[in-house]
Amino acid sequence: MERPLITLLLALSFGAGLGLLYGGLVDPRPPRPGPGPVARLLARAGLADVSPREFVLVSTLAGLAAAVAAQVALGWTAVSVLAGVLGTAVPLGYYLRRQEVRRARVQAALVDALAQLRDTVRAGLSVEEGVAALARSGPQALRAEFARLAQDARLDGFAAGLGRMRERLADPVFDMAAVALQTNDRLGGRQVVPVLDRLAQASRGELRVQEELRAYRARTVLSARVVAAVPVVLLVAIRWINPEYLAVFDAPAGQAVLALCAASVAVGYGAMLWTARTPGQPRVLR
């Protein structure tokens, strides 16, 4: 009984080894990990060519520049250290702002593209032909994306191309449109035109609300910047005009108080931005 069992185990081990060897020869590359949070942030900001390492380097240089500027202007070490810490967050704020602006521009272009695709399909052309037309005469902000979609559709299929475009745009409006187009590509039918029509109308109405909220947020952000900048400007002006007036802050305890005041200003500024943020539509399809 033992010899047949050993023979069976050896045969199974030999077969598993051959399977692993075949898999390694056919696809020797290990699976690539998905993009990290920094890479996703840069991609959503339209900076897919910027690597996370470059982002960290820019943030570090911004922090060093802020620390040096604070040391030259004020000469207080504790405040300079805090300025350096806050300076490292400047690129992050820039990229978040860029992401918001790009999202608004992409969503506006998507609404126009959906309406144009609806009209093209209604005229008797296929969805793939409508996408090719968008690559030539669609909204300028998305022509490159639709051209890439048309190329991916020719190489790997329309559904796979839509999936890649969803990953690149990471937008809830296009998520819904992509699912509708993928379903139509898989099942066929003539219901894609009314679906695109309703989606374009709903997205246009939501964009009008978002534009009003962004206008309100712009006023609040301007007020927050003024409130945060006034104490800093006054402090630097007094330090340069009459340094002896602020000599009490040369001591370590005084610098600690200044650092706490600067931190409270930064926290207050962040809180004003947080309360004035525009509620974005979450991605329910990933």
Short mmCIF file of all heavy atoms in Angstrom, two decimals, residues 131-136 142-154 165 168:
data_model
loop_
_atom_site.label_atom_id
_atom_site.label_comp_id
_atom_site.label_asym_id
_atom_site.label_seq_id
_atom_site.Cartn_x
_atom_site.Cartn_y
_atom_site.Cartn_z
N VAL A 131 -17.44 56.84 -30.84
CA VAL A 131 -16.24 57.11 -30.05
C VAL A 131 -15.12 57.62 -30.96
O VAL A 131 -14.38 58.55 -30.60
CB VAL A 131 -15.81 55.83 -29.30
CG1 VAL A 131 -14.43 56.00 -28.69
CG2 VAL A 131 -16.83 55.50 -28.21
N ALA A 132 -14.98 57.03 -32.14
CA ALA A 132 -13.97 57.51 -33.08
C ALA A 132 -14.25 58.96 -33.50
O ALA A 132 -13.32 59.76 -33.67
CB ALA A 132 -13.94 56.60 -34.31
N ALA A 133 -15.53 59.30 -33.64
CA ALA A 133 -15.87 60.69 -33.98
C ALA A 133 -15.53 61.63 -32.82
O ALA A 133 -15.09 62.76 -33.04
CB ALA A 133 -17.36 60.78 -34.33
N LEU A 134 -15.73 61.17 -31.58
CA LEU A 134 -15.37 61.99 -30.42
C LEU A 134 -13.87 62.24 -30.36
O LEU A 134 -13.43 63.30 -29.90
CB LEU A 134 -15.84 61.32 -29.13
CG LEU A 134 -17.35 61.32 -28.87
CD1 LEU A 134 -17.66 60.49 -27.64
CD2 LEU A 134 -17.87 62.73 -28.70
N ALA A 135 -13.08 61.26 -30.81
CA ALA A 135 -11.63 61.46 -30.82
C ALA A 135 -11.22 62.55 -31.80
O ALA A 135 -10.17 63.18 -31.63
CB ALA A 135 -10.94 60.14 -31.17
N ARG A 136 -12.05 62.79 -32.82
CA ARG A 136 -11.72 63.81 -33.82
C ARG A 136 -12.37 65.16 -33.53
O ARG A 136 -11.74 66.21 -33.66
CB ARG A 136 -12.14 63.34 -35.21
CG ARG A 136 -11.42 62.09 -35.70
CD ARG A 136 -11.76 61.82 -37.15
NE ARG A 136 -13.21 61.64 -37.34
CZ ARG A 136 -13.82 60.46 -37.27
NH1 ARG A 136 -13.13 59.36 -37.01
NH2 ARG A 136 -15.14 60.37 -37.46
N LEU A 142 -11.08 65.94 -23.79
CA LEU A 142 -11.17 64.48 -23.77
C LEU A 142 -10.84 63.83 -25.10
O LEU A 142 -11.02 62.62 -25.25
CB LEU A 142 -12.58 64.04 -23.34
CG LEU A 142 -12.96 64.32 -21.88
CD1 LEU A 142 -14.40 63.94 -21.63
CD2 LEU A 142 -12.04 63.56 -20.94
N ARG A 143 -10.39 64.59 -26.07
CA ARG A 143 -10.09 63.99 -27.37
C ARG A 143 -8.99 62.94 -27.27
O ARG A 143 -9.08 61.87 -27.89
CB ARG A 143 -9.69 65.08 -28.37
CG ARG A 143 -10.85 65.94 -28.84
CD ARG A 143 -10.42 66.90 -29.93
NE ARG A 143 -11.51 67.78 -30.32
CZ ARG A 143 -11.41 68.73 -31.24
NH1 ARG A 143 -10.25 68.91 -31.87
NH2 ARG A 143 -12.45 69.49 -31.54
N ALA A 144 -7.96 63.23 -26.50
CA ALA A 144 -6.86 62.26 -26.36
C ALA A 144 -7.36 60.99 -25.68
O ALA A 144 -6.95 59.88 -26.05
CB ALA A 144 -5.72 62.88 -25.57
N GLU A 145 -8.24 61.13 -24.70
CA GLU A 145 -8.77 59.95 -24.00
C GLU A 145 -9.62 59.10 -24.94
O GLU A 145 -9.52 57.86 -24.94
CB GLU A 145 -9.59 60.38 -22.79
CG GLU A 145 -8.77 60.93 -21.65
CD GLU A 145 -7.92 59.86 -20.98
OE1 GLU A 145 -8.22 58.66 -21.16
OE2 GLU A 145 -6.96 60.22 -20.28
N PHE A 146 -10.47 59.73 -25.74
CA PHE A 146 -11.30 58.96 -26.67
C PHE A 146 -10.47 58.35 -27.79
O PHE A 146 -10.79 57.27 -28.29
CB PHE A 146 -12.42 59.84 -27.23
CG PHE A 146 -13.55 60.04 -26.27
CD1 PHE A 146 -13.81 61.30 -25.73
CD2 PHE A 146 -14.36 58.99 -25.89
CE1 PHE A 146 -14.85 61.49 -24.84
CE2 PHE A 146 -15.41 59.17 -25.01
CZ PHE A 146 -15.65 60.41 -24.47
N ALA A 147 -9.40 59.03 -28.20
CA ALA A 147 -8.51 58.44 -29.20
C ALA A 147 -7.83 57.20 -28.64
O ALA A 147 -7.69 56.17 -29.33
CB ALA A 147 -7.47 59.47 -29.64
N ARG A 148 -7.43 57.26 -27.38
CA ARG A 148 -6.83 56.09 -26.75
C ARG A 148 -7.86 54.98 -26.57
O ARG A 148 -7.53 53.80 -26.72
CB ARG A 148 -6.24 56.48 -25.40
CG ARG A 148 -5.43 55.40 -24.74
CD ARG A 148 -4.69 55.94 -23.52
NE ARG A 148 -3.96 54.91 -22.82
CZ ARG A 148 -3.25 55.11 -21.73
NH1 ARG A 148 -3.17 56.35 -21.22
NH2 ARG A 148 -2.60 54.13 -21.14
N LEU A 149 -9.11 55.36 -26.26
CA LEU A 149 -10.17 54.36 -26.14
C LEU A 149 -10.40 53.65 -27.47
O LEU A 149 -10.57 52.42 -27.52
CB LEU A 149 -11.46 55.03 -25.66
CG LEU A 149 -12.72 54.16 -25.67
CD1 LEU A 149 -12.55 52.92 -24.81
CD2 LEU A 149 -13.93 54.98 -25.21
N ALA A 150 -10.43 54.42 -28.57
CA ALA A 150 -10.62 53.81 -29.88
C ALA A 150 -9.47 52.87 -30.22
O ALA A 150 -9.68 51.78 -30.79
CB ALA A 150 -10.73 54.91 -30.94
N GLN A 151 -8.25 53.24 -29.84
CA GLN A 151 -7.11 52.36 -30.11
C GLN A 151 -7.18 51.09 -29.27
O GLN A 151 -6.94 49.98 -29.77
CB GLN A 151 -5.81 53.11 -29.82
CG GLN A 151 -4.55 52.30 -30.08
CD GLN A 151 -3.30 53.09 -29.77
OE1 GLN A 151 -3.36 54.22 -29.29
NE2 GLN A 151 -2.15 52.50 -30.03
N ASP A 152 -7.52 51.23 -27.98
CA ASP A 152 -7.66 50.04 -27.13
C ASP A 152 -8.78 49.14 -27.60
O ASP A 152 -8.68 47.91 -27.49
CB ASP A 152 -7.92 50.47 -25.68
CG ASP A 152 -6.70 51.13 -25.04
OD1 ASP A 152 -5.58 50.93 -25.56
OD2 ASP A 152 -6.87 51.85 -24.04
N ALA A 153 -9.87 49.75 -28.12
CA ALA A 153 -10.98 48.94 -28.60
C ALA A 153 -10.57 48.10 -29.81
O ALA A 153 -11.01 46.95 -29.96
CB ALA A 153 -12.16 49.85 -28.96
N ARG A 154 -9.72 48.65 -30.67
CA ARG A 154 -9.26 47.88 -31.83
C ARG A 154 -8.32 46.75 -31.42
O ARG A 154 -8.32 45.68 -32.04
CB ARG A 154 -8.55 48.80 -32.82
CG ARG A 154 -9.47 49.76 -33.56
CD ARG A 154 -8.75 50.41 -34.72
NE ARG A 154 -7.62 51.20 -34.28
CZ ARG A 154 -7.67 52.50 -33.97
NH1 ARG A 154 -8.83 53.15 -34.07
NH2 ARG A 154 -6.60 53.16 -33.58
N MET A 165 -10.22 53.22 -19.54
CA MET A 165 -10.55 54.64 -19.49
C MET A 165 -11.20 55.00 -18.16
O MET A 165 -11.00 56.10 -17.63
CB MET A 165 -11.47 55.00 -20.66
CG MET A 165 -11.71 56.49 -20.82
SD MET A 165 -12.56 56.87 -22.37
CE MET A 165 -12.80 58.64 -22.20
N ARG A 168 -8.42 55.52 -15.75
CA ARG A 168 -7.68 56.76 -15.97
C ARG A 168 -8.46 57.98 -15.49
O ARG A 168 -7.91 58.87 -14.85
CB ARG A 168 -7.32 56.92 -17.45
CG ARG A 168 -6.33 55.88 -17.97
CD ARG A 168 -5.79 56.31 -19.32
NE ARG A 168 -6.84 56.47 -20.31
CZ ARG A 168 -7.27 55.51 -21.12
NH1 ARG A 168 -6.75 54.29 -21.03
NH2 ARG A 168 -8.22 55.74 -22.02
#
